[in-house]
Amino acid sequence: MKHCILFLHLICALGTAAAQSMTVFDLPVKTSIRGMAVVDTQTIWISGSNGYFGVTHDGGRSWNMQQVPDYDSAEFRDIEVFSDGSLLLMSSTAPAAILRSTDTGRTWSQVFRSDNPAYFLDAMDFHGDHGMCLGDPVDGHFLTLYSHDAGRYWEKRFLNERTDSLAAFAASGSVVQFLTKKHIVFATGGAQARVYYTRDKGITWQYQQTDITQGAPSTGIFSLAVCDRKTLIAAGGDYLQPKGSDRNLDILHFRDQRWGLSEGAQYDLTGGRTLGYISGIACGPNDILVACGTSGAAIISDTYTQIADKAFNIVQFAPKSNTCFLAGNSIFGVYTLSVKR
């Protein structure tokens, strides 16, 4: 794979994104943002290091940032918000925990916790009230937590397959994605960059090997984007080589009841330029991609356009919108695509 590439049949569906300007706001506290839950173009929840979570109701111009009592050193690598206003926060380690609030973050209850140092939580996702949280392997087996009631209760399971030298990344809370209530995917790094998938909500799992840079603890898939139920974008690379351009993007399609790598002609969209290591990726209107990482942020469609040179960890689009939001170390970015159809 040469640089950031997309395949012919996906390119045919892409629109053109005209360059606009990125608006960047400074957050009022020191925190590395890794989790994001976008309600609409005005209301966005975020979570990060030093026990912080926060919300904006004006599209990022002002923020209410808070620390969770007794968790002021936590790494909150993911956050979820539900239609009734309840919230979930995921603390990756020390302790590995999931917290739930029903009063917009004023008080929190602990719905899962492990003080076992082997537990490290990477990401969670929901389809309605049905959710899954992924953790790194414990004794060689990936940890999976399942909820059927919007995170009030969690069932613990481990994958049967032993996966030595594999792990998942908590860089952007986006390596787990629901496609339907029972169809879930998650991505790995380390020795192999795989996409695991289940169609029976975790009873059985299969995997597809990808071409993403792999083979070292710092390599693999750091983010998954769902373009539709049959198209996934896997992105990553090597976070120790932030400008490395080798094999940092793959496309997967669901055919014949399984996920496989896209086939067909390959096109280099970057013209020799590349974002390098990708921490987060999101699929917007017309399947236009916005990717971010240590080297900045870029649009990837039928052209490649760098839109920021500041480091960002995570990117998400507002539902049914051309506007995406990015966050990094004490910064928050807003970018609206100008899409030509």
Side-chain angles (χ1 to χ4, degrees):
M1 183 179 295
K2 181 182 179 183
H3 301 300
C4 289
I5 57 177
L6 296 182
F7 296 91
L8 180 60
H9 55 271
L10 182 63
I11 290 174
C12 292
L14 293 175
T16 299
Q20 302 291 309
S21 60
M22 167 92 70
T23 302
V24 179
F25 301 100
D26 291 325
L27 297 177
V29 296
K30 185 176 181 180
T31 180
S32 177
I33 301 301
R34 303 288 182 163
M36 186 184 296
V38 181
V39 178
D40 53 41
T41 57
Q42 298 302 304
T43 301
I44 305 100
W45 292 84
I46 57 175
S47 64
S49 61
N50 300 323
Y52 278 107
F53 73 97
V55 63
T56 178
H57 295 291
D58 55 14
R61 289 181 290 275
S62 63
W63 288 89
N64 176 13
M65 300 294 299
Q66 300 180 50
Q67 283 179 306
V68 178
D70 301 322
Y71 278 83
D72 55 358
S73 61
E75 292 276 350
F76 288 130
R77 295 296 183 99
D78 210 349
I79 186 169
E80 296 285 335
V81 59
F82 297 89
S83 57
D84 65 357
S86 59
L87 300 166
L88 291 177
L89 278 174
M90 185 196 78
S91 169
S92 283
T93 188
I98 301 174
L99 310 179
R100 188 171 187 270
S101 174
T102 58
D103 54 11
T104 62
R106 287 188 290 275
T107 60
W108 294 89
S109 59
Q110 194 169 261
V111 291
F112 174 83
R113 176 171 174 141
S114 175
D115 292 299
N116 183 339
Y119 278 50
F120 187 97
L121 303 183
D122 297 290
M124 57 184 176
D125 193 35
F126 275 80
H127 185 278
D129 288 346
H130 298 268
M132 178 182 135
C133 180
L134 174 69
D136 277 356
V138 179
D139 295 327
H141 299 272
F142 271 106
L143 167 68
T144 56
L145 306 172
Y146 296 91
S147 175
H148 305 277
D149 56 7
R152 294 174 180 84
Y153 171 78
W154 293 87
E155 173 192 358
K156 180 168 62 175
R157 302 181 205 163
F158 293 92
L159 264 66
N160 288 331
E161 179 189 5
R162 189 172 183 91
T163 52
D164 291 322
S165 302
L166 297 188
F169 290 109
S172 58
S174 57
V175 291
V176 175
Q177 301 286 349
F178 270 75
L179 291 100
T180 69
K181 184 171 71 175
K182 295 183 178 181
H183 193 166
I184 315 166
V185 295
F186 74 82
T188 75
Q192 294 184 314
R194 297 174 174 179
V195 173
Y196 280 83
Y197 59 98
T198 177
R199 300 185 69 211
D200 51 21
K201 203 177 180 185
I203 297 174
T204 60
W205 290 90
Q206 297 173 274
Y207 72 84
Q208 170 62 49
Q209 188 71 30
T210 73
D211 295 324
I212 300 290
T213 297
Q214 56 201 275
S218 59
T219 65
I221 302 169
F222 287 75
S223 184
L224 289 174
V226 178
C227 289
D228 57 53
R229 290 182 181 179
K230 294 188 176 182
T231 307
L232 283 175
I233 310 297
D238 185 347
Y239 72 80
L240 294 180
Q241 302 292 330
K243 295 186 179 181
S245 61
D246 188 34
R247 305 196 315 274
N248 58 5
L249 200 68
D250 250 347
I251 301 169
L252 296 90
H253 288 289
F254 190 72
R255 296 191 184 97
D256 301 323
Q257 306 306 308
R258 62 176 294 116
W259 285 98
L261 294 182
S262 185
E263 298 176 356
Q266 298 182 2
Y267 282 77
D268 178 2
L269 298 181
T270 69
R273 295 169 299 156
T274 177
L275 187 64
Y277 155 70
I278 297 174
S279 173
I281 195 162
C283 196
N286 290 355
D287 292 340
I288 293 170
L289 306 175
V290 176
C292 65
T294 312
S295 300
I299 299 169
I300 305 172
S301 62
D302 54 349
T303 61
Y304 173 93
T305 307
Q306 184 119 2
I307 57 176
D309 57 8
K310 292 179 179 292
F312 288 101
N313 300 321
I314 185 171
V315 55
Q316 287 186 18
F317 275 89
K320 299 178 180 179
S321 170
N322 292 355
T323 299
C324 65
F325 302 97
L326 305 93
N329 294 341
S330 299
I331 59 172
F332 184 81
V334 182
Y335 189 88
T336 300
L337 296 173
S338 177
V339 179
K340 298 178 182 179
R341 299 183 182 274

